[in-house]
């Protein structure tokens, strides 16, 4: 085979592989499994119905690691602004998670939550984790 | 099943966000308390809570990195655990949890009928949707041992939409559950546990869920 033709075919096949990774769901899934670890864990039934199997017993879940500890940095010391200042930072239609506890209210911007996933906060003297 | 797993700094126990429960480590099996949260738009939240504080964005985070994920039809990252085609996988539902029972209320349905008096897990609930902002809330509609039946009042829109109960004629702000006039003025409806979810996640985590 002509050497140049072989190079072109090689490059084309890399491009095809790249496109497949970007667009074909089953190939995407395969790609992810190359970079992840998975283990089966058992969640104890405990006292409430949360996470309990339909027969009322322990429930088995797959625990899959895509990203390690702190790969997505949680917010540990959140800073806040008033409504007037926040109006400068946020569109009217911006999605937020709103929380009111013991007369104190907070709004957490969803675009910001998407980058941090968790905010550790204390609202109305109650320590909370806001998770997205 | 897809949902965030988080850890605590003190014990490095792993916690499932959707279960609110330790799943691996020394605190496995321990449950966190769920608190009611309102997913809504900034304008509606700040009108209903003018004294609210907002997380400081510091001029960043102009776009939501998941915008395209919200729009597209795929469940991503790990796909689905079980198929249940009562709805499209990315249909939005408000999932209610009461007395060990779960029920999904499709937002599509609620947008034609913004308020539902319903029963769930042996209790009585009120499901409310502010459809311009996809703000969906579930309240416990039992007050002082009496079950109230609600309908929408004529006046009041958005953050100031008002519900009226048939038993006392009191007016209640739909977004905060607080009665602002009538015999029950000052009372606040308790929120039932609920949150907005894509259908695929709700039915994977709550396989026994009913659908309204």
């Amino acid at each position: 085979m002509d050497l140049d033709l072989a190079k072109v075919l090689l490059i084309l096949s890399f491009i095809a592989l790249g496109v497949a990774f970007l667009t074909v769901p089953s190939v995407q899934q395969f790609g992810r499994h190359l970079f992840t670890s998975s283990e089966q864990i058992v969640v104890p039934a405990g006292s409430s119905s949360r996470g309990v199997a339909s027969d009322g017993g322990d429930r088995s879940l797959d625990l899959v690691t895509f990203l390690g500890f702190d790969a997505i940095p949680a917010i540990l010391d959140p800073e806040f602004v008033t409504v007037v200042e926040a109006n400068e930072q946020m569109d009217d239609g911006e999605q937020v998670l709103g929380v009111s506890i013991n007369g104190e209210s907070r709004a957490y911007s969803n675009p910001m939550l998407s980058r941090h996933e968790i905010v550790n906060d204390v609202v109305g003297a109650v320590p909370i984790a806001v998770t997205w | 099943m897809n949902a965030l797993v988080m850890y605590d700094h003190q014990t490095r126990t792993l916690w499932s966000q959707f279960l609110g429960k330790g799943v691996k480590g020394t605190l496995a099996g321990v449950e966190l308390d769920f608190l009611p949260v309102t997913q809504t738009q900034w304008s509606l939240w700040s009108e209903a809570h003018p004294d609210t504080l907002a997380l400081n964005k510091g001029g960043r985070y102009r776009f939501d990195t998941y915008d395209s994920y919200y729009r597209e039809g795929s469940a991503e990252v790990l796909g689905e655990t079980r198929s249940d085609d009562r709805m499209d996988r990315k249909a939005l539902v408000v999932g209610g949890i009461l007395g060990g029972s779960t029920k999904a209320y499709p937002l599509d349905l609620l947008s034609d009928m913004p308020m539902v008096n319903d029963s769930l897990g042996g209790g009585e609930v009120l499901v409310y949707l502010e459809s311009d902002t996809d703000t969906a809330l579930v309240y416990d509609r039992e007050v002082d041992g009496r079950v109230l039946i609600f309908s929408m009042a004529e006046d009041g829109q958005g953050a100031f939409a008002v519900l009226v109960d048939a038993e006392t004629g009191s007016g209640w702000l739909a977004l905060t559950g607080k009665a602002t006039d009538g015999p029950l003025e000052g009372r606040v409806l308790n929120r039932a546990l609920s949150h907005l979810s894509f259908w695929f996640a709700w039915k994977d985590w709550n396989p026994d869920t009913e659908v309204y």
Side-chain angles (χ1 to χ4, degrees), chain B residues 67-124:
Chain B
D67 271 341
S68 62
Y69 172 72
Y70 303 144
R71 285 193 304 268
E72 69 181 19
S74 157
E76 292 280 351
V77 170
L78 293 170
E80 292 168 277
T81 308
R82 47 188 289 279
S83 70
D84 183 335
D85 57 8
R86 283 182 281 179
M87 266 177 273
D88 284 345
R89 64 171 65 90
K90 292 293 273 291
L92 280 174
V93 301
V94 56
I97 305 170
L98 194 66
S101 293
T102 52
K103 194 182 281 193
Y105 300 85
L107 259 54
D108 268 355
L109 193 72
L110 292 170
S111 63
D112 298 330
M113 180 179 53
M115 203 206 47
V116 172
N117 293 277
D118 196 22
S119 304
L120 176 60
E124 302 294 330

Side-chain angles (χ1 to χ4, degrees), chain A:
Chain A
M1 192 188 287
D2 186 291
L3 195 61
D4 284 343
L5 181 60
K7 272 185 190 167
V8 169
L9 286 175
L10 192 64
I11 291 168
L12 282 177
S13 59
F14 272 120
I15 291 172
L17 198 62
V19 170
F21 264 104
L22 290 174
T23 58
V24 181
S26 55
V27 180
Q28 285 179 333
Q29 298 253 337
F30 172 73
R32 287 201 187 91
H33 286 298
L34 290 178
F35 304 107
T36 60
S37 64
S38 177
E39 64 176 299
Q40 199 146 70
I41 55 171
V42 174
V43 178
S47 56
S48 84
S49 62
R50 268 187 256 166
V52 175
S54 32
D55 64 4
D58 297 345
R59 184 166 171 185
S60 173
L61 296 176
D62 286 324
L63 181 65
V64 180
T65 304
F66 288 115
L67 299 166
F69 288 78
D70 294 321
I72 299 173
I75 296 176
L76 306 178
D77 296 301
E79 294 173 8
F80 293 94
V81 293
T82 62
V83 169
V84 173
E85 294 166 301
N87 282 334
E88 304 285 314
Q89 300 186 352
M90 287 202 266
D91 296 330
D92 282 353
E94 186 162 326
Q95 287 278 310
V96 298
L97 296 187
V99 173
S100 290
I101 305 171
N102 298 332
E104 276 185 29
S105 296
R106 298 273 203 279
Y108 306 89
S109 154
N110 285 20
M112 189 162 170
L113 286 170
S114 286
R115 300 286 288 276
H116 294 280
E117 300 289 356
I118 302 169
V119 181
N120 293 270
D121 198 1
V122 179
V123 182
V126 178
I128 63 170
V130 182
T131 74
W132 179 229

Side-chain angles (χ1 to χ4, degrees), chain B residues 6 8 10 38 47 63 71 90 165 178-179 189-190:
Chain B
M6 51 198 182
D8 69 81
Q10 285 71 26
T38 303
E47 282 172 27
F63 302 100
R71 285 193 304 268
K90 292 293 273 291
D165 72 80
K178 185 170 185 179
L189 294 176
N190 287 322

